[in-house]
Amino acid sequence: MKLHEYEAKNIFKSYGIPISEGYVTSGEIKEIKKPVVIKAQVLVGGRGKSGGILFANTLEETTEKIKELLNKEIKGEKVEKVLVEEKLPIKKEYYLGIVIDRKEKKPLILFSTEGGVDIEEVAQKNPEKIVKYYMDPQKEFLPYLARNMLKKINIPSKEIPKVADIIYKLYKVFKEMDGILVEINPLVITEDGRVLAADGVLNVDDDAHHRHDYSKFEEFDRRNNFEFAYVKLNGNIGVIGNGAGLTLASMDIVKEYGGDPACFLDIGGGADERVVRKAIEKILENKNVDGIFINILAGITRCDEVAKGIVEALKRHPKVKFSVRMMGTNEKEGREILIENNIPFEKSMEDAAKKLVEMVKDY
Ligand code: GDP
Ligand code: MN
């Protein structure tokens, strides 16, 4: 999973890596103390080149540019938040990154005096400007290793302690967060001698989710929204199934009883309450929808989770009509939840489809 720049930087900061003063917003700001840089929070690289980084000197200008960015798409990604930070007086841009090297099966630490550009490009054109260090993951990464790395490349010796300290701390972030990629590009030396992370990338390993609470990161929610497959159609009856085959069959039955499907929505296997609710809400974004037919053959999916999802959706959209058929895992528990909440439940999918078609007829 990818973290946004502001999320990555917050983590960097908690490990003692210097970042510039700023805050994230999706609206108005009240004051600026110094000239600022306004940065679109999107999960694509090269925002600078795609117009995702703007500068402003006054509050008025800042407000204007925030709006401009919030109305933009950067490489196809809608901008929902921007990061407003002190504009750094940059003297020099370095590159620092740590990745898992698949071949060596080790973390690879990369540092380059050519920052602010793609590291692949530097690797092609000026490979001598990159130092690499393969880290033994069983061992501790000590600050002297970072200093030794920097001695192999052309940077002023007075910068070495501060930069080495950042490398040391960034490795800690990488290890403790179960990173698969972490990057500071550029790592900046300012005119007034500060060394800070001007950008931040942190991609974490999804397989390590049990060790962390990744749900606090923005991408977590957005991903869960995409845990179902949705295709919008022209009718007024939403159709939800689990598995593409069952969902298609459910649409056919709706048509057989004279109804017109508003969508194909497959919640897949193992959808929980939240995914079910989100799926229903996705369907309800289409204002033509009068009712939803839900057809579940529960295996990994649990009928009680599906029922809870329907109940949660109904709390938010009390007028929507449902007709449900579900069989399999936790069927009894699921049915009880539906009955308690007066949600029509049928034993066969034919009956459930027919019932819904009748319910929405007078609409
Ligand atoms: P990216 O294009 O998505 O990697 O976004 P970055 O945050 O790395 O910014 C791209 C470039 O914008 C940097 O390499 C800098 O040259 C410039 N930039 C970003 N922040 C600042 C800043 O605070 N001051 C100055 N002068 N330039 C900045
Ligand atoms: Mn960058």
Side-chain angles (χ1 to χ4, degrees), residues 173-223:
V173 171
F174 182 79
K175 187 143 193 211
E176 289 174 14
M177 287 300 298
D178 283 298
I180 46 179
L181 168 70
V182 60
E183 249 180 4
I184 300 177
N185 186 25
L187 174 70
V188 151
I189 312 287
T190 62
E191 299 289 352
D192 47 341
R194 289 177 288 160
V195 183
L196 0 82
D199 190 9
V201 167
L202 177 55
N203 299 354
V204 294
D205 184 351
D206 293 332
D207 290 337
H209 67 91
H210 54 283
R211 282 201 286 266
H212 304 276
D213 179 15
Y214 287 157
S215 69
K216 60 184 177 238
F217 301 122
E218 252 188 68
E219 185 62 1
F220 188 88
D221 270 4
R222 224 167 45 139
R223 268 224 203 156

Side-chain angles (χ1 to χ4, degrees), residues 222-247:
R222 224 167 45 139
R223 268 224 203 156
N224 280 353
N225 286 345
F226 287 113
E227 267 176 16
F228 46 79
Y230 172 76
V231 181
K232 188 172 178 267
L233 301 164
N234 293 326
N236 64 336
I237 295 178
V239 178
I240 295 181
N242 64 322
L246 185 67
T247 311

Side-chain angles (χ1 to χ4, degrees), residues 10-48:
N10 278 340
I11 293 169
F12 293 176
K13 191 179 174 184
S14 71
Y15 279 79
I17 296 170
I19 58 168
S20 51
E21 288 277 314
Y23 47 88
V24 68
T25 176
S26 47
E28 301 267 305
I29 54 155
K30 293 200 178 70
E31 60 161 358
I32 63 165
K33 292 196 181 94
K34 291 176 184 161
V36 291
V37 53
I38 307 153
K39 313 176 80 177
Q41 295 302 286
V42 286
L43 297 171
V44 292
R47 291 166 303 170

Side-chain angles (χ1 to χ4, degrees), residues 5 9 20 37 39 44-49 53 55 85-90 93 115-117 185-186 198-200:
E5 178 192 9
K9 279 178 166 171
S20 51
V37 53
K39 313 176 80 177
V44 292
R47 291 166 303 170
K49 281 183 202 145
I53 312 261
F55 299 95
E85 286 185 333
E86 175 206 343
K87 181 184 175 188
L88 298 166
I90 296 180
E93 300 189 25
V117 287
N185 186 25
D199 190 9

Side-chain angles (χ1 to χ4, degrees), residues 235-240 250-251 253-263 283-284 288-295 310 314 319-325 342-346 348-363:
N236 64 336
I237 295 178
V239 178
I240 295 181
S250 309
M251 289 168 55
I253 294 177
V254 166
K255 279 188 214 151
E256 220 172 279
Y257 288 105
D260 196 3
C263 69
I283 291 180
L284 295 177
N288 295 332
V289 173
D290 298 320
I292 299 177
F293 167 42
I294 299 181
N295 188 8
I310 299 170
L314 257 180
K319 284 193 183 144
V320 182
K321 302 205 174 319
F322 286 96
S323 176
V324 183
R325 179 263 191 157
N342 295 318
I343 299 163
F345 170 86
E346 302 294 332
S348 79
M349 60 185 202
E350 287 80 9
D351 288 349
K354 198 169 155 195
K355 179 143 196 170
L356 190 70
V357 172
E358 277 163 15
M359 280 196 289
V360 302
K361 233 180 210 154
D362 319 320
Y363 256 57

